[in-house]
Amino acid sequence: MHPFRKAVEDRDPFAVAALLADDVVFTSPVAFKPYAGKAITAAILRGVLRVFEDFTYVREIANPDGRDHALVFTATVNGRQIQGCDFLRFDEDGRIDDFTVMVRPLSAAQALAEAMGAQFDRIAQEAAGE
């Protein structure tokens, strides 16, 4: 099992953050513009851990060189079943430097956008270290 998968399944935000590169770029399924940097990405991922219910990785796909991984998941957000995939790219130090999430169906993506929008003041404060 990949260390990132284990950290997420253990719901361990410190272990998740430790796997992020300082210059990680996070591309959200519900925001137009990517987020750059470890602090904001870690805060967003903590927000995701708060809003996802019944989160389960169902498949792990890895490039033979170990630098690219796709982790397929299911979860519930505000009563909507969501299916998604975390696409991870690792730098030469083994830290995630590119993180893209895609989700479906549209109704679940909308529920996710709403739930994360409600978290965003807290996410911004956490990212700023407040």
Side-chain angles (χ1 to χ4, degrees):
M1 176 184 302
H2 193 277
F4 180 80
R5 178 179 180 171
K6 180 165 179 22
V8 171
E9 289 181 344
D10 288 349
R11 300 185 70 80
D12 183 345
F14 301 106
V16 170
L19 292 167
L20 300 174
D22 290 338
D23 61 349
V24 62
V25 175
F26 178 79
T27 304
S28 164
V30 296
F32 176 74
K33 187 173 144 182
Y35 297 92
K38 182 175 182 172
I40 189 65
T41 300
I44 289 168
L45 295 176
R46 286 190 299 272
V48 169
L49 289 174
R50 291 189 292 266
V51 303
F52 275 173
E53 303 166 33
D54 305 320
F55 183 90
T56 305
Y57 281 119
V58 296
R59 186 170 37 234
E60 185 173 330
I61 304 161
N63 185 319
D65 72 6
R67 300 228 16 221
D68 291 287
H69 286 265
L71 300 170
V72 180
F73 65 85
T74 60
T76 304
V77 178
N78 291 337
R80 298 280 185 184
Q81 292 293 315
I82 192 166
Q83 180 183 35
C85 190
D86 293 336
F87 295 97
L88 309 174
R89 173 81 177 161
F90 293 84
D91 65 16
E92 52 280 340
D93 296 322
R95 290 200 171 72
I96 300 166
D97 62 3
D98 188 72
F99 190 135
T100 298
V101 181
M102 294 188 182
V103 297
R104 64 163 304 279
L106 178 58
S107 61
Q110 290 167 329
L112 178 59
E114 181 180 308
M116 289 302 290
Q119 292 277 320
F120 216 79
D121 285 344
R122 181 174 175 181
I123 289 169
Q125 290 172 345
E126 289 178 6
E130 297 176 14

